Amino acid sequence: MSRKPSFANLRGTATPTPAVAPAPRVRATPAPAPVAAPAPPPEPAPASTRPVSREGRKQIAGFFSPDMSLAMHMLARRQGRSLQALMAEAFNDVLRKHGESPVGD
């Protein structure tokens, strides 16, 4: 069985590359910064990014089964009311049930 040639044998056959001295580093002097015109004043930020209809309100959310979601959406559609209005009615009913005063919408 013949042996595979070793790459160590090839070391002596390669022609050496001449060593090149690295170029001397030259320190570049920074160019003076250009004088910029003063930036225009920023526009005032809007007071709120929320729609006006949501100001002063707090979100209450929950996760329900798809059947509950469908039933509530269908009831709201049949009554011509929003889901939010039905939820407010339900929350007020729960408050009354537990002896609390209803809050409203």
Side-chain angles (χ1 to χ4, degrees):
M1 189 182 239
S2 65
R3 265 185 102 163
K4 292 184 179 179
S6 172
F7 289 112
N9 297 338
L10 298 176
R11 269 190 236 156
T13 61
T15 56
T17 50
V20 178
R25 292 187 180 202
V26 178
R27 230 183 208 175
T29 56
V35 178
E43 293 184 25
S48 176
T49 57
R50 288 188 223 162
V52 176
S53 62
R54 291 187 183 174
E55 288 192 13
R57 296 182 176 262
K58 185 105 173 136
Q59 181 180 12
I60 301 174
F63 290 93
F64 300 96
S65 71
D67 291 337
M68 173 64 83
S69 176
L70 179 63
M72 292 300 291
H73 279 89
M74 296 209 27
L75 179 62
R77 180 82 172 160
R78 277 196 306 269
Q79 291 187 358
R81 299 169 66 189
S82 68
L83 185 60
Q84 182 170 331
L86 286 181
M87 290 172 65
E89 181 182 342
F91 290 149
N92 282 328
D93 288 347
V94 169
L95 289 171
R96 277 190 212 98
K97 177 182 171 182
H98 293 283
E100 302 290 328
S101 297
V103 178
D105 64 350

